[in-house]
């Protein structure tokens, strides 16, 4: 049994709302998804991994007090292995493909100019 965050009464783990105070406990229509709540005045976004890496598309961002996708940035994401240096370089190269192409073009131009001297 879970405890309601507002009235602290015992609540069934499958309950979408608290039967005592009617506080929403789970995402509406999705009883298996946990609804995270901010405990203080600060929004959840300030400590969320998805806000930090700019992958969040929640409409209430950056002031969300309730969210189903929240993940504390101080906790590791389970199931994702640490990035290998090769993968990091490949990702960087994909992000900067235009600059790499332009740099390569300049280098080829310089080589041609120097070889014609």
């Amino acid at each position: 049994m879970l405890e309601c965050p507002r009235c602290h009464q015992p609540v069934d783990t499958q309950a979408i709302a608290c039967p005592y105070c009617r506080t929403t406990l789970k995402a509406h229509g999705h009883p298996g998804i946990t609804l995270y709540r901010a405990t203080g005045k600060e929004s959840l976004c300030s400590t969320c991994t998805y806000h930090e890496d700019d992958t969040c598309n929640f409409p209430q961002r950056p002031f969300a007090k309730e969210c189903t996708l929240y993940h504390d940035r101080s906790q590791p994401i389970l199931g994702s292995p640490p990035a290998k240096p090769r993968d990091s370089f490949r990702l960087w190269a994909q992000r900067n493909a235009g600059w790499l192409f332009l740099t390569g073009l300049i280098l080829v131009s310089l080589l041609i100019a120097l070889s014609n001297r």
Side-chain angles (χ1 to χ4, degrees):
M1 301 277 298
L2 294 175
E3 186 177 284
C4 174
R6 183 183 287 169
C7 68
H8 303 289
Q9 295 292 327
V11 180
D12 182 29
T13 56
Q14 292 300 315
I16 294 174
C18 175
Y20 303 100
C21 67
R22 300 285 180 224
T23 300
T24 305
L25 302 172
K26 306 260 184 193
H28 182 70
H30 303 281
I33 298 176
T34 303
L35 182 64
Y36 297 96
R37 279 198 170 74
T39 53
K41 292 182 180 182
E42 195 171 326
S43 71
L44 287 174
C45 298
S46 61
T47 59
C48 184
T49 301
Y50 305 115
H51 177 71
E52 186 176 82
D53 67 10
D54 204 28
T55 57
C56 178
N57 60 2
F58 195 54
Q60 284 76 23
R61 179 182 175 210
F63 308 109
K65 295 286 189 175
E66 295 179 339
C67 183
T68 56
L69 300 175
Y70 175 77
H71 184 272
D72 189 350
R73 67 179 172 211
S74 65
Q75 301 295 319
I77 296 177
L78 300 177
S80 64
K84 298 175 184 169
R86 181 184 71 225
D87 295 337
S88 297
F89 177 76
R90 188 178 324 151
L91 182 60
W92 178 85
Q94 287 174 349
R95 288 182 181 161
N96 298 295
W99 289 110
L100 289 172
F101 177 75
L102 185 60
T103 303
L105 191 60
I106 291 170
L107 288 174
V108 168
S109 299
L110 285 172
L111 288 174
I112 291 171
L114 290 175
S115 68
N116 289 334
R117 250 178 143 199

